[in-house]
């Protein structure tokens, strides 16, 4: 597992050492490193999903013994899903950046080095079994991302980068106070430690739990933007390069929702139980608010940014519904939302690079000169609105049905969010792809080979995971169960077995 | 009447430094001008290295030497060693001669009137001024004695031996001499005031306890119950003197002017070492002598810590000069150290020692970087001139960004581990609200550190911008060491934390 993290880290260093001006070499080194990481990630996944022994095991090394902090890594079903997403997404984003880089005035070397650095840190966050280690990488991730947004992208990128960093830093510092508070609890209990199982075993009184819960949740609610802490995301999504925006909202921000399900629920069961109604309300607001604002956007990247807020609302809703069905759905949703958002951002990147504009109004009738591009766009869009049998459908269904068991009104309102998602995606398609061909769109080239290479794996994955979700959902289910037992709420009977085929109900 | 016993072996480091300083004065008088510079630098370095070796050999000593006047124990030796390491690097920066066309950073003769004919002649003849080395040695000697002083009189003497040479050094800048002389005058006047107040407080404490020894004062606290008024006045007045030296609010007003006006190598030396020595002395005085009055002085430190953190962070936001900004940032850092001091136990001492060591080395590195960014008028310290530095010399800008991130306390830098230690000590000592304020101040402070990074990396260089001078090997090595230590202690802080932990017991 350390290998999995060391590879991209080493790749980042190697990429940074490539002499300036040799952009192509830097791209090759970085993409190579990302692909090797993918292979290792695949080995771990195979062992975990299909019980084939690949020699992967949990690892614990002393790191800062003075604080009882260790370099402790372990795979659970939840982390596996996200590790798989990360190792898959990074090479795709790297290749997508190849031709975006040609349009940048800057040497792309730094972007690729930073991308790999973020990959290493993200993987560490998903595997960490030590709260201090998790915190360290959670915060350290901000710096490379900040440089990625600030150095490459649109005219307002400096503003977006600083906003991104400050928002997340404030959340991170609140979490730092809570991390220290948690540690002091373990000191008082006579066993100073940052090791997650040790901390979960602590018996913390409810008032203290509340304070710590607020510290952690603030950080995660900013990271995985939950209304009203979301305002940095649309700016970052709009100003960053398309592939960077894809990576940011598709992969990096999942650390926030992962933190909610893997740290907050087991560490602060009482507070989570008590706060669930509040968080559920915020999540529902996020779903509707994000969707409504997405409908109103004229800037395509900002539009996708708002759809992400809506989808993150679904994920948070699933986590805090506190039913195993919804939690499984939410975790599964993280993966699928990652895939579909990356696909959407990348396709929009293709459009922008052809036209030099992010405005919806500058397009129209694209499907005539570039039918393949339009087809890919529609496919990615439909995965975004959770059309069966694409992977996103199942996760959305699980979240809503799982929520329905406990918070009926929330589930009903969330369903409205699905209707709205159909609206913004299809309307976006209609405005850009159909209708009379705009003069500026005349002669727009269709997909190039490299673009096909980038987008095909994503779309294929969405289909495969949609048709064969069972190994992954089972693995997630297994991990979610104990977490919810920890929270100690009654599990209602599920409405329907998970894998049973469901009547189409997406409101289309 | 017995003759006093002097433990020469334990006092050897101090004797070495003071001896070398006296020899330096003689060199200044008798060695021909041509070879004076190399001889002075060599003597200073030899003395510092020899003293450092002696300190290392003394590790583990735990005695009260010189008839109770000097304590040679863990905290004293830890701080003496750190001060010596920082001083060795500082002397290297003092001796840097490749940056200034006219020589080094110091005026050829501090006594010549700025702008006078005499000054022009001296500059033309390329005279170099060498008094700075013996002065610096005296200051280092005072700094080493300050945290080791174990009676009130020795504390006062050390304070003066440390301060007087610094007043002089501040007024010796080669460029902007009037500003420099004004800084020296301000520093001297305010410093003399604070020394007098300190002395006044000493008299009160002596009047109350009838002794100068810390240990005996501590015993007197339990014996003289019910006459606390005079003692509290004494503690308060002495605290004013010490808080002035560490640059805490409301006794901080000298800091920005002095930091800005002093020659930058001196600023770095002062910012790093004075704070170390003064905090060391303060912690010893308050823990060893006034430990029994904890409940009386803690509220005062609470107020000072909160004010210091907030004022330092907020006022730094408005600065446009890099040296002034770093000055206010150093004020905020004094506040962070005070949060741990409030906790008042041995884990707090260890946290403070670690924080001071890491902060010192990052500060020294940061000021060394400032000496390299130059234009026709000398150092370009105005923030606007730093725009686009990241494109001109990415390595230097990245190094400076690393120091800034360490000041902001971002994980994977030594600053984070330091912050974690002091905040943990504070929460452990029941000062959780202080940590909340500390977190808020950190967030505010992050903003201006980030602003400099934005300037360096995301802005385009101005056509008339400054250039980055190529320093001699010594400065380059100094900066590299600082950066390496900042990064390494952020990733593997264990060894230094261990050392600080072992050195955290005061001899009583």
């Amino acid at each position: 597992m350390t290998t999995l993290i060391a590879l991209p880290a080493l790749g980042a260093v190697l990429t940074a050492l490539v002499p300036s001006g040799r952009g192509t070499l830097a791209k090759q080194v970085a993409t190579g490193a990302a692909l090797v990481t993918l292979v290792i990630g695949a080995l771990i996944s195979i062992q975990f999903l299909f019980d084939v022994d690949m020699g992967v095991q949990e690892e614990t090394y002393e790191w800062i013994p003075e604080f009882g902090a260790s370099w402790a890594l372990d795979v659970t079903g939840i982390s596996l899903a996200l590790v798989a997403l990360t190792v898959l997404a990074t090479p795709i984003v790297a290749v997508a950046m190849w031709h975006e880089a040609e349009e940048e005035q800057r040497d792309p070397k730094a972007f690729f080095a930073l991308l790999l650095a973020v990959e290493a840190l993200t993987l560490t966050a998903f595997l960490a079994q030590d709260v201090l280690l998790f915190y360290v990488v959670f915060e350290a991730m901000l710096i490379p991302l900040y440089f990625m947004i600030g150095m490459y992208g649109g005219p307002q990128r400096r503003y977006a980068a600083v906003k991104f960093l400050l928002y997340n830093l404030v959340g991170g510092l609140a979490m730092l106070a809570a991390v220290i508070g948690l540690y002091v609890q373990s000191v008082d209990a006579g066993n100073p430690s940052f090791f997650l199982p040790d901390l979960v075993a602590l018996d913390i009184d409810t008032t203290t739990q509340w304070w710590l819960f607020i510290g952690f949740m603030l950080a995660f609610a900013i990271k995985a933007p939950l209304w009203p802490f979301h305002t940095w995301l649309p700016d970052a999504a709009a100003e960053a390069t398309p592939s960077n925006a894809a990576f940011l909202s598709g992969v990096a921000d999942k650390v926030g929702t992962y933190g909610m399900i893997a740290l907050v629920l087991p560490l602060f069961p009482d507070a989570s139980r008590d706060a669930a109604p509040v968080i559920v309300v915020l999540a529902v607001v996020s779903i509707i608010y994000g969707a409504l604002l997405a409908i109103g956007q004229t800037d395509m990247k900002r539009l996708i940014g708002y759809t992400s807020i809506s989808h993150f609302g679904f994920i948070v809703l699933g986590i805090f519904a506190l039913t195993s069905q919804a939690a499984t759905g939410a975790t599964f949703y993280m993966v699928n939302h990652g895939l579909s958002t990356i696909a959407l951002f990348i396709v929009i990147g293709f459009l922008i690079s052809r036209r030099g504009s992010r405005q919806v109004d500058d397009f129209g009738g694209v499907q005539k000169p570039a039918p393949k591009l339009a087809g890919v766009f529609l496919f990615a869009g439909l995965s975004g609105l959770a059309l069966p049998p694409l992977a996103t459908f199942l996760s959305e269904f699980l979240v809503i049905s799982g929520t329905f068991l406990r918070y009926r009104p929330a589930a009903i309102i969330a369903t409205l969010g699905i209707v709205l998602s159909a609206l913004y995606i299809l309307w976006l398609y209609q405005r850009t792809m159909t209708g009379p061909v705009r003069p500026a769109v005349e002669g727009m080239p269709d997909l190039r080979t490299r673009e096909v290479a980038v987008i095909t794996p994503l779309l294929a994955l969405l289909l495969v995971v949609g048709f064969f979700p069972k190994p992954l959902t089972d693995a997630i289910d297994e991990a979610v169960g104990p977490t919810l037992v920890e929270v100690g709420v009654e599990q209602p009977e599920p409405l329907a077995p998970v894998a049973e085929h469901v009547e189409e109900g997406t409101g289309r | 009447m017995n003759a006093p016993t002097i433990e020469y072996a334990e006092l050897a480091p101090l004797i070495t430094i003071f001896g070398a300083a006296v020899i330096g004065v003689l060199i200044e008088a008798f060695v021909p001008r041509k070879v004076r510079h190399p001889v002075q630098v060599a003597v200073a370095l030899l003395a510092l290295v020899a003293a450092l070796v002696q300190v290392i050999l003394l590790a583990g000593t735990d005695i009260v030497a010189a008839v109770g006047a000097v304590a040679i124990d863990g905290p004293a030796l830890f701080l003496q060693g750190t001060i010596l390491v920082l001083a060795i690097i500082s002397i290297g920066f003092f001796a840097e001669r490749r940056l200034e066309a006219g020589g080094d950073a110091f005026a050829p003769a501090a006594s010549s009137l700025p702008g006078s004919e005499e000054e022009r002649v001296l500059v033309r003849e390329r005279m170099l001024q060498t008094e700075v080395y013996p002065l610096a040695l005296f200051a280092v000697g005072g700094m080493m004695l300050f945290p080791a002083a174990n009676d009130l009189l020795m504390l006062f003497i050390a304070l003066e031996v440390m301060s007087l040479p610094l007043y002089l050094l501040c007024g010796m800048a080669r460029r902007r001499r009037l500003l420099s002389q004004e800084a020296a005058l301000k520093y001297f006047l305010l410093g003399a005031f604070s020394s007098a107040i300190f002395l006044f407080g000493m008299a009160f404490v002596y009047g109350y306890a009838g002794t100068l020894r810390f240990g005996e004062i501590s015993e007197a606290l339990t014996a003289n119950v019910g006459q606390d008024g005079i003692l509290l006045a004494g503690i308060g007045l002495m605290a004013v003197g010490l808080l002035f030296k560490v640059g805490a609010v409301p006794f901080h007003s000298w800091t920005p002017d002095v930091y800005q006006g002093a020659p930058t190598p001196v600023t770095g030396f002062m910012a790093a070492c004075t704070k170390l020595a003064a905090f060391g002395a303060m912690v010893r005085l308050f823990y060893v002598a006034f430990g029994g009055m904890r409940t009386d002085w803690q509220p005062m430190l609470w107020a000072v810590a909160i004010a210091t953190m907030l004022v330092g962070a907020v006022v730094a936001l408005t600065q446009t000069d890099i040296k002034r900004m770093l000055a206010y940032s150093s004020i905020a850092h004094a506040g962070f150290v005070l949060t741990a001091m409030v906790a008042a136990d041995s884990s707090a001492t260890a946290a403070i020692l670690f924080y001071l060591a890491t902060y010192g080395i990052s500060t020294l590195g940061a000021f060394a970087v400032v000496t390299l960014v130059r234009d026709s008028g000398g150092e370009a310290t105005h923030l606007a001139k730093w725009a686009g530095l990241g494109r001109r010399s990415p390595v230097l800008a990245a190094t400076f960004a690393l120091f800034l991130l360490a000041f902001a306390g971002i994980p994977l830098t030594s600053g984070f581990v330091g912050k974690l230690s002091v905040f943990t000590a504070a929460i452990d000592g029941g000062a959780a609200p202080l940590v909340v304020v500390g977190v808020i101040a950190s967030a505010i402070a992050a903003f201006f550190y980030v602003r400099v990074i934005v300037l360096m990396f995301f802005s385009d260089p101005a056509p008339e911008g400054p250039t980055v001078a190529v320093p001699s090997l010594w400065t380059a090595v100094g900066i590299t060491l600082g950066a390496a230590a900042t990064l390494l202690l952020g990733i593997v802080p264990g060894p230094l934390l261990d050392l600080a932990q072992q050195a955290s017991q005061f001899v009583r």
Side-chain angles (χ1 to χ4, degrees):
Chain A
M1 269 183 242
T2 305
T3 323
L4 181 73
I5 294 163
L7 271 173
L10 189 69
V13 173
L14 285 178
T15 311
L17 290 178
V18 172
S20 344
R22 300 284 306 279
T24 316
L25 179 62
K27 291 175 192 177
Q28 286 160 347
V29 171
T31 314
L35 286 171
V36 179
T37 314
L38 171 60
V39 172
I40 303 282
L43 292 182
I44 292 177
S45 311
I46 289 169
Q47 161 163 342
F48 202 86
L49 292 178
F50 306 109
D51 268 342
V52 184
D53 187 21
M54 294 283 177
V56 184
Q57 52 207 349
E58 60 178 301
E59 298 171 16
T60 309
Y61 302 107
E62 279 209 339
W63 174 38
I64 314 180
E66 290 74 10
F67 290 144
S70 51
W71 172 261
L73 306 175
D74 195 12
V75 177
T76 65
I78 303 172
S79 50
L80 179 84
L82 291 160
V83 165
L85 170 68
T86 311
V87 295
L88 283 168
T90 311
I92 291 171
V93 168
V95 177
M97 186 66 197
W98 277 48
H99 77 132
E100 282 172 24
E102 286 156 19
E103 295 156 27
E104 287 286 335
Q105 288 89 35
R106 272 175 183 258
D107 190 352
K109 181 178 84 172
F111 182 89
F112 288 101
L114 293 167
L115 176 70
L116 288 170
V118 181
E119 181 182 22
L121 293 168
T122 313
L123 289 171
T124 314
F126 290 146
L127 295 171
Q129 285 293 302
D130 182 280
V131 177
L132 185 70
L133 179 62
F134 179 87
Y135 176 77
V136 164
V137 292
F138 180 82
E139 280 285 85
M141 269 171 67
L142 299 179
I143 302 301
L145 281 168
Y146 163 70
F147 279 110
M148 281 158 78
I149 300 168
M151 284 164 60
Y152 303 92
Q156 292 290 311
R157 60 173 188 259
R158 285 173 56 180
Y159 166 78
V162 172
K163 193 167 174 181
F164 160 81
L165 184 68
L166 290 177
Y167 262 74
N168 283 285
L169 208 57
V170 169
L173 286 165
M175 185 173 155
L176 172 62
V179 167
I180 296 173
L182 191 60
Y183 172 67
V184 170
Q185 292 290 321
S186 79
V187 174
D188 294 346
N191 175 26
S193 165
F194 277 108
F195 191 50
L196 189 57
D198 290 353
L199 293 173
V200 169
L202 286 178
D203 198 16
I204 308 172
D205 69 87
T206 312
T207 323
T208 316
Q209 270 197 35
W210 261 100
W211 283 109
L212 301 179
F213 173 85
I214 289 172
F216 273 81
M217 266 315 278
L218 189 65
F220 295 146
I222 291 174
K223 186 91 188 162
L226 185 66
W227 184 90
F229 307 107
H230 63 280
T231 62
W232 62 268
L233 179 71
D235 286 320
E239 295 303 330
T241 63
S243 54
N244 189 6
F247 188 74
L248 181 68
S249 57
V251 179
D253 287 352
K254 297 294 184 299
V255 177
T257 43
Y258 172 80
M260 289 181 202
I261 195 163
L263 295 177
V264 172
L265 292 190
L267 283 172
F268 317 117
D270 302 350
S272 302
R273 212 172 33 239
D274 297 344
V278 180
I279 307 281
V280 163
V281 169
L282 290 181
V284 171
V285 172
S286 285
I287 294 171
I288 302 297
Y289 176 91
L292 285 175
L293 278 172
I295 293 171
Q297 295 305 314
T298 56
D299 172 333
M300 293 192 294
K301 273 157 71 189
R302 191 172 277 273
L303 190 149
I304 307 298
Y306 276 110
T307 68
S308 283
I309 291 174
S310 179
H311 290 192
F312 272 115
F314 272 108
I315 297 171
V316 177
L317 178 68
I319 293 171
F320 278 90
L322 303 181
T323 62
S324 65
Q325 204 173 351
T328 305
T331 311
F332 192 39
Y333 205 130
M334 290 185 216
V335 179
N336 300 328
H337 166 257
L339 296 175
S340 81
T341 299
I342 292 171
L344 267 170
F345 268 121
I346 286 176
V347 174
I348 284 191
F350 296 161
L351 281 172
I352 294 171
S353 70
R354 284 168 169 65
R355 181 72 179 76
S357 157
R358 309 195 304 234
Q359 298 303 316
V360 174
D361 308 348
D362 289 337
F363 294 89
V366 173
Q367 63 187 17
K368 285 208 176 55
K372 281 188 215 154
L373 181 58
V376 170
F377 184 91
L378 185 62
F379 193 119
L382 292 179
S383 78
L385 62 80
L387 181 82
L390 294 173
T392 36
F393 163 72
L394 179 65
S395 39
E396 208 151 273
F397 172 77
L398 284 174
V399 167
I400 291 195
S401 58
T403 309
F404 190 78
L405 301 174
R406 194 177 299 280
Y407 299 106
R408 210 156 277 203
I412 291 165
I413 301 174
T415 315
L416 187 65
I418 302 183
V419 179
L420 291 174
S421 72
L423 190 62
Y424 57 68
I425 293 286
L426 294 174
W427 196 38
L428 175 66
Y429 181 83
Q430 189 189 341
R431 283 183 296 171
T432 55
M433 300 292 161
T434 59
V437 181
R438 291 273 180 112
V441 176
E442 289 280 2
M444 184 177 274
D446 209 341
L447 283 186
R448 302 181 181 88
T449 321
R450 185 166 57 195
E451 293 173 342
V452 174
V454 172
I455 200 78
T456 312
L458 277 173
L459 303 183
L461 274 171
L462 279 165
L463 270 175
V464 169
V465 181
F467 276 112
F468 306 105
K470 199 160 166 40
L472 192 54
T473 45
D474 284 356
I476 294 170
D477 215 19
E478 230 165 89
V480 164
T483 303
L484 289 173
V485 170
E486 192 70 48
V487 179
V489 286
E490 279 296 299
Q491 284 302 316
E493 273 305 301
L495 282 179
V498 169
E500 198 171 293
H501 187 66
V502 188
E503 288 298 315
E504 182 178 323
T506 51
R508 290 188 56 247
Chain B
M1 188 77 189
N2 294 333
T5 50
I6 302 290
E7 289 78 353
Y8 287 102
E10 281 76 13
L11 299 173
L14 287 161
I15 296 168
T16 309
I17 296 293
F18 285 126
V22 173
I23 292 169
V25 175
L26 293 176
I27 293 172
E28 205 56 33
F30 297 113
V31 173
R33 184 174 283 286
K34 277 206 171 61
V35 292
R36 213 180 281 168
H37 189 272
V39 171
Q40 284 284 34
V41 176
V43 167
L45 283 176
L46 272 175
L48 290 169
V49 172
L52 181 61
V53 171
Q54 288 157 347
V55 166
I56 293 168
L57 291 177
L58 283 174
T61 313
D62 218 16
I63 63 157
V64 178
V67 206
V70 181
I72 302 295
D73 55 5
L77 287 169
F78 183 93
L79 288 171
Q80 287 183 348
T82 315
I83 288 167
L84 285 167
V85 171
L86 296 174
I88 290 169
I89 300 174
S90 291
I91 291 290
F93 297 152
F94 279 26
E96 174 64 55
R97 289 166 64 186
R98 283 186 51 181
L99 302 176
E100 272 287 356
D104 54 16
F106 301 96
S111 55
S112 62
L113 274 178
S116 63
E117 185 56 36
E118 181 193 5
E119 186 193 41
R120 270 192 291 280
V121 170
L122 289 170
V123 171
R124 205 168 43 239
E125 298 209 346
R126 304 189 51 92
M127 292 278 263
L128 282 185
Q129 199 241 76
T130 48
E131 298 109 81
V132 290
Y133 301 101
L135 283 173
L137 280 180
F138 275 117
V140 170
M143 288 169 183
M144 287 164 64
L145 188 54
F146 204 30
N150 199 41
D151 80 14
L152 295 175
L153 210 53
M154 192 50 83
L155 192 65
F156 183 71
I157 291 168
L159 174 78
E160 290 304 309
V161 173
M162 169 177 101
S163 305
L164 289 166
L166 287 176
Y167 301 149
L168 290 170
L169 286 171
C170 286
M172 292 190 175
R174 175 180 286 268
R175 310 252 189 170
R176 304 173 79 184
R177 288 190 59 195
L178 286 174
L179 191 77
S180 173
Q181 291 180 354
E182 187 190 342
L185 189 66
K186 263 185 191 155
Y187 195 18
F188 169 68
L189 285 177
L190 289 170
F193 263 116
S194 81
S195 292
I197 293 171
F198 182 78
L199 201 55
F200 195 28
M202 266 172 58
F204 275 126
V205 174
Y206 178 69
Y208 168 87
T211 171
L212 293 166
R213 301 259 185 284
F214 288 1
E216 291 166 14
I217 293 172
S218 167
E219 285 156 25
L221 295 185
T222 45
N224 310 353
V225 179
Q227 314 165 22
D228 291 350
I230 192 168
L231 173 67
L232 287 176
I235 293 179
L237 291 167
M238 286 186 77
V240 170
L242 289 165
L243 288 169
F244 173 89
K245 279 294 158 205
V246 300
V249 175
F251 315 107
H252 66 288
S253 54
W254 59 274
T255 315
D257 292 346
V258 173
Y259 276 33
Q260 188 188 11
T264 308
V266 173
T267 310
F269 170 63
M270 242 174 39
C273 299
T274 314
K275 210 165 275 258
L276 241 79
F279 264 118
M282 195 164 162
V283 173
R284 182 185 300 276
L285 177 68
F286 276 77
Y287 286 12
V288 177
F290 304 144
M293 299 288 288
R294 194 170 302 168
T295 44
D296 291 298
W297 53 255
Q298 270 170 332
M300 170 187 79
L301 283 187
W302 270 73
V304 171
I306 289 172
T308 305
M309 287 188 283
L310 290 178
V311 170
V314 172
V315 182
L317 289 176
T318 63
Q319 300 305 314
T320 54
D321 181 281
I322 199 115
K323 280 165 85 179
R324 287 185 83 85
M325 190 198 91
L326 287 173
Y328 279 106
S329 118
S330 85
I331 292 170
H333 281 277
F336 295 140
V337 178
L338 284 170
T339 56
M341 219 186 117
V342 168
D345 60 18
S346 71
S347 81
T349 312
I352 293 171
L353 292 178
F354 182 87
Y355 197 101
L356 290 172
T358 52
Y359 173 76
I361 195 133
S362 304
T363 304
L364 209 54
F367 278 107
V369 171
V370 174
T371 62
L372 302 185
V373 182
R374 315 180 71 86
D375 59 12
S376 55
E379 288 161 15
T381 55
H382 198 284
L383 267 179
K385 293 185 174 165
W386 285 57
L389 201 70
R391 300 214 180 177
R392 287 222 168 118
S393 44
V395 175
L396 187 86
T399 309
F400 195 65
L402 173 69
F403 291 135
L404 290 173
L405 292 175
F407 293 147
I410 301 287
L412 301 184
T413 64
S414 60
F416 167 70
V417 185
K419 219 166 238 182
L420 183 73
S421 320
V422 293
F423 284 174
T424 306
I427 290 190
D428 224 359
L434 268 187
V435 174
V436 174
V437 176
V439 163
I440 293 168
S442 302
I444 300 170
F447 185 78
F448 58 82
Y449 296 129
V450 165
R451 206 178 49 181
V452 179
I453 296 178
V454 169
L455 262 178
M456 290 194 301
F457 285 95
F458 306 161
S459 317
D460 293 329
E464 293 297 299
T467 53
V468 172
V470 180
S472 62
L473 182 66
W474 195 280
T475 301
V477 167
I479 295 176
T480 313
L481 275 178
T486 301
L487 201 58
L488 243 136
L489 292 171
I491 298 168
V492 208
L496 186 63
L497 278 171
D498 246 1
L499 194 63
Q501 210 109 50
Q502 285 164 17
S504 64
Q505 290 303 330
F506 287 103
V507 68
R508 289 181 186 263

